[in-house]
Amino acid sequence: MTRSGPPEGPLPWGSMSRAERNAAYDNVGAVPGSRDWMAGLRARSAAFRAHHAATTRDVVWGCTPRQRWNLYPASSPDAPCLVFIHGGYWQWNDPEHFACLAEGVAALGWSVAMPGHTLAPAASLRVIVAEIDTALDWLATHGPAHGIAGPCVVSGWSAGGTLATLALDHPHIVAGLALSGIYELGPLRDTTLNDALALDDAEIQTLSALRRPPSPKPLAIAYGTRELPALCHDSRNLHGLRAATHAPGLLAPVAGAEHFSILNALGTPGGELARVASLLAG
């Protein structure tokens, strides 16, 4: 974990072709074997859920099947809870695909809660952010009935890391741990990712963490040192912005990790980011 210096200058988006802009955010293309890695994660998650079927609780928090919680309560209802938001550029994946990541903090006696949300293009990013807020309202009210009543640290990976930073000010959240997020949304509008997202000017301005006043709550910002430059740049700049206002939190570059293997640092008992999470709960 390190402290960062001043924010870095902007990347040269104006001189990049559309193909170069697409490649700047193409994590699958940048990491050989990433599709197989994700398939393995889903298989491990299915095995984790089968092994913990007696205690796992899947609860719909809203009106649609995607608006659901996967809850993995600890033995003590007062244990800290990691709220983990899945990635997939707000267009792909389900919380069940990431269930095995609960093992890292579960080994510390934590609960884990994983929210689902509507995916783009059926929902805009603005709507998805609002859904996460509503899901957290539900957890604050109904979590104790499902064995989760302790302090909540919000986390997420990739697009979920972005959502975690935006959920930090929710009153039910005490701190955050964002992995490999996108904190400046403007460049995404010039990529094929925006075909489904259809980001507008207001969303880019209000939902880019690098354009928002920093939350005073602790936020640890993690990224793999072998990630795409755009994601490394955003993570370092967000930490630099927060440090300039004395907002608490660590910058946690995970040595040798790329966009997918960084999840091992959270999901493995004793992993580097599982330990960071344990510090955030106070």
Side-chain angles (χ1 to χ4, degrees):
M1 280 77 75
T2 65
R3 291 284 179 187
S4 69
E8 301 174 7
L11 293 171
W13 299 110
S15 63
M16 295 168 67
S17 68
R18 185 171 175 82
E20 289 171 327
R21 291 167 180 162
N22 286 334
Y25 291 97
D26 183 4
N27 294 298
V28 171
V31 181
S34 57
R35 294 187 189 278
D36 291 338
W37 196 95
M38 286 299 297
L41 183 76
R42 290 192 290 271
R44 295 195 303 275
S45 292
F48 177 88
R49 284 172 60 81
H51 183 70
H52 295 274
T55 54
T56 294
R57 303 180 186 185
D58 297 335
V59 186
V60 175
W61 60 260
C63 301
T64 71
R66 285 200 174 274
Q67 295 175 334
R68 66 186 182 275
W69 280 102
N70 292 170
L71 304 176
Y72 307 100
S75 57
S76 170
D78 295 325
C81 177
L82 185 76
V83 176
F84 180 84
I85 308 171
H86 71 79
Y89 279 121
W90 311 285
Q91 302 171 50
W92 306 293
N93 294 325
D94 294 294
E96 293 87 344
H97 297 163
F98 297 83
C100 67
L101 300 181
E103 291 181 311
V105 295
L108 301 173
W110 284 44
S111 297
V112 175
M114 297 187 177
H117 58 75
T118 307
L119 301 177
S124 68
L125 184 53
R126 183 185 293 106
V127 168
I128 292 169
V129 170
E131 286 190 1
I132 294 297
D133 191 68
T134 302
L136 291 172
D137 289 343
W138 184 97
L139 189 65
T141 301
H142 301 286
H146 295 278
I148 297 178
C152 287
V153 174
V154 67
S155 184
W157 167 72
S158 197
T162 307
L163 294 174
T165 66
L166 298 173
L168 190 58
D169 281 327
H170 189 280
H172 196 52
I173 297 301
V174 301
L177 170 58
L179 282 66
S180 307
I182 305 97
Y183 308 122
E184 170 53 60
L185 300 174
L188 289 183
R189 192 158 54 179
D190 297 320
T191 71
T192 55
L193 292 168
N194 201 45
D195 294 347
L197 294 170
L199 293 166
D200 60 32
D201 289 342
E203 286 176 311
I204 289 169
Q205 181 62 39
T206 61
L207 303 180
S208 293
L210 282 165
R211 303 192 191 200
R212 294 165 60 94
S215 170
K217 295 180 184 179
L219 175 66
I221 301 165
Y223 67 96
T225 60
R226 293 173 55 206
E227 300 225 35
L228 286 168
L231 275 68
C232 296
H233 181 274
D234 272 16
S235 294
R236 292 193 293 261
N237 264 6
L238 181 58
H239 184 264
L241 175 68
R242 290 178 53 81
T245 63
H246 307 290
L250 298 170
L251 183 67
V254 179
E258 25 75 2
H259 191 67
F260 300 91
S261 62
I262 190 175
L263 290 172
N264 293 332
L266 178 65
T268 303
E272 178 179 346
L273 296 182
R275 296 196 302 271
V276 169
S278 71
L279 297 174
L280 291 169

